Amino acid sequence: MVRGPYRKGVQRRERIIRTAADVFGELGYLGGSLRAIADRVGASPATLIQYFGSKEGLLTAVLEDWTAQTKRSSMPEDVRGLAYFRQMRGLMEFHVEHRGRLELFITLAAEATNPGHPARDFIQQRYLTGRELWTGKLREAVEDGEIAPLTDAQIDAEIRTLVAVLDGLELQWLLGADIDLPDLVATYLDRAITRWTT
Amino acid sequence: MVRGPYRKGVQRRERIIRTAADVFGELGYLGGSLRAIADRVGASPATLIQYFGSKEGLLTAVLEDWTAQTKRSSMPEDVRGLAYFRQMRGLMEFHVEHRGRLELFITLAAEATNPGHPARDFIQQRYLTGRELWTGKLREAVEDGEIAPLTDAQIDAEIRTLVAVLDGLELQWLLGADIDLPDLVATYLDRAITRWTT
């Protein structure tokens, strides 16, 4: 019967992580104080330190949770070549339905333009991993003869620009723009695929 | 001989504004405390309050200064149609040379995804003004017969996507990406112009 209190501790830990994700998304990591998170959870800052060691420890837990949540719900990686990119409308629909998660990422990414930011490694790694995956898919499309040949430099530029379109349109949407985010991204991708094909 | 102390006050005010712009760019508005700004200037938070009334008053002064600095150095507005867009490589070169100013804007824009953020109105207004100017230039290109006809909805989507490309590539560059920012933007624009023309 030790499970009751243990489970309660796990639930409380999860609740703190989700609340911290909301607060960091709204106020940034640097602007979102332990006090603000503790108040919203109904605990003391000391309790948060007890669970996570430090504010940076809590940030790590938030980023791990974000990664796990996002992995479960993002685009299937086993789809080859152009078919992989054709799923991207679905990714945008997912973002629209999970605004808080998107806001957290964009806010931390912008904060992490400061070289000393504790999330900078995570954000840089996240961009790198995503770029490696996407350039691999575009290379597959070339290998499979779906599109005309591209140099490595061209593939890199294509993927960087695609990522920019997503981030930039997401930012406009988060700022309250009255746009159809999945539709604008799909339009950009359709044109890119047409251009790659011819 | 009262001018000495007056000029000194003006210089000190300007120094506080520039320092606050640095601190807000690095730590965000919410994360950048009056204490941090005061320490860097070598003054007390009370002195900052004396000059600007409040932290929000200081933010307003920073944004006014940002607007004045940017207006002086951004693309000439009297250039018509496509020629206006062809200057955009120069705008990117300006950003690369004024990293701090760009970092301030991107950081505040991401923070302002929070509806309660004090810079939200400014950021939204800034995007609106920019979009109105740029859609007007693209409309001129249609009117002058430089490019094929576009509907208002198409023009809006083109400009929103162009803004996204700029913001997104700027974010990657600020995060330390080894990219030629002016070159990537120019490549995107060259292709867009080709597409609009045919």
Side-chain angles (χ1 to χ4, degrees), chain A residues 26-27 30 99 103 110 112-114 120 124 127 158 160 164-165 169 171-172 174-175 177 179 191 195, chain B residues 26-27 30 99 103 109-110 112-114 120 124 127 158 160 164 169 171-172 174-175 177 179 191 195:
Chain A
E26 289 165 28
L27 308 177
L30 301 169
R99 185 196 158 93
E103 194 174 347
T113 55
N114 175 357
R120 188 166 168 104
Q124 285 180 329
Y127 273 98
E158 290 290 349
R160 284 196 180 274
V165 168
L169 288 174
L171 178 60
Q172 290 177 45
L174 286 170
L175 282 165
I179 55 172
R191 278 184 189 146
R195 188 161 47 74
Chain B
E26 290 167 26
L27 307 178
L30 301 169
R99 185 196 159 93
E103 193 173 347
T113 57
N114 175 356
R120 188 167 168 101
Q124 286 181 328
Y127 272 98
E158 290 291 348
R160 285 196 181 275
L169 289 174
L171 177 60
Q172 289 177 46
L174 286 170
L175 281 165
I179 55 173
R191 278 183 190 146
R195 188 162 45 75

Side-chain angles (χ1 to χ4, degrees), chain A residues 72-125:
Chain A
R72 211 175 305 150
S73 45
S74 68
M75 302 191 293
E77 294 188 13
D78 55 349
V79 179
R80 256 187 95 82
L82 284 190
Y84 178 80
F85 295 101
R86 292 208 175 94
Q87 308 168 310
M88 217 154 273
R89 176 188 281 272
L91 178 65
M92 289 303 111
E93 284 164 356
F94 175 81
H95 281 327
V96 169
E97 285 157 22
H98 299 83
R99 185 196 158 93
R101 214 170 295 168
L102 183 62
E103 194 174 347
L104 176 65
F105 183 79
I106 296 277
T107 303
L108 288 181
E111 264 193 348
T113 55
N114 175 357
H117 194 281
R120 188 166 168 104
D121 280 353
F122 173 87
I123 296 285
Q124 285 180 329
Q125 195 56 46

Side-chain angles (χ1 to χ4, degrees), chain A residues 1-2 8 10 54 70 87-88 106 112 129 164 175 184 195:
Chain A
M1 295 278 49
V2 292
K8 224 183 136 192
V10 170
S54 64
T70 305
Q87 308 168 310
M88 217 154 273
I106 296 277
T129 309
L175 282 165
L184 279 175
R195 188 161 47 74

Side-chain angles (χ1 to χ4, degrees), chain B residues 5-197:
Chain B
Y6 173 71
R7 202 177 49 218
K8 225 182 135 192
V10 170
Q11 285 173 344
R12 192 169 204 199
R13 193 175 181 280
E14 276 177 14
R15 221 179 118 228
I16 296 171
I17 291 173
R18 297 292 156 88
T19 306
D22 289 345
V23 170
F24 292 158
E26 290 167 26
L27 307 178
Y29 169 74
L30 301 169
S33 65
L34 278 181
R35 163 68 63 191
I37 299 161
D39 283 354
R40 222 183 269 191
V41 179
S44 71
T47 304
L48 271 53
I49 295 293
Q50 198 180 306
Y51 273 86
F52 300 97
S54 64
K55 192 182 174 191
E56 224 169 301
L58 179 54
L59 175 65
T60 302
V62 165
L63 295 176
E64 279 167 3
D65 182 65
W66 186 92
T67 305
Q69 296 287 330
T70 306
K71 192 168 281 170
R72 210 174 305 149
S73 45
S74 68
M75 302 190 294
E77 294 188 12
D78 55 348
V79 178
R80 256 188 95 83
L82 285 190
Y84 178 79
F85 294 101
R86 292 207 176 95
Q87 307 168 310
M88 217 155 271
R89 177 189 281 272
L91 179 64
M92 290 302 111
E93 284 164 356
F94 175 80
H95 282 325
V96 168
E97 285 156 23
H98 299 83
R99 185 196 159 93
R101 214 170 295 170
L102 183 63
E103 193 173 347
L104 175 65
F105 183 80
I106 295 277
T107 303
L108 289 181
E111 264 192 350
T113 57
N114 175 356
H117 195 282
R120 188 167 168 101
D121 279 353
F122 173 87
I123 296 285
Q124 286 181 328
Q125 195 55 46
R126 180 84 201 168
Y127 272 98
L128 182 63
T129 309
R131 222 167 54 240
E132 281 174 353
L133 177 64
W134 291 13
T135 56
K137 297 297 173 188
L138 194 50
R139 205 166 285 129
E140 283 174 1
V142 172
E143 285 163 15
D144 296 357
E146 291 185 291
I147 61 172
L150 293 166
T151 65
D152 282 354
Q154 284 171 328
I155 287 176
D156 189 61
E158 290 291 348
I159 296 304
R160 285 196 181 275
T161 306
L162 174 58
V163 171
V165 168
L166 302 191
D167 285 347
L169 289 174
E170 285 161 8
L171 177 60
Q172 289 177 46
W173 180 74
L174 286 170
L175 281 165
D178 179 25
I179 55 173
D180 186 328
L181 181 61
D183 204 56
L184 279 175
V185 168
T187 300
Y188 175 81
L189 256 176
D190 285 349
R191 278 183 190 146
I193 290 174
T194 303
R195 188 162 45 75
W196 297 336
T197 314

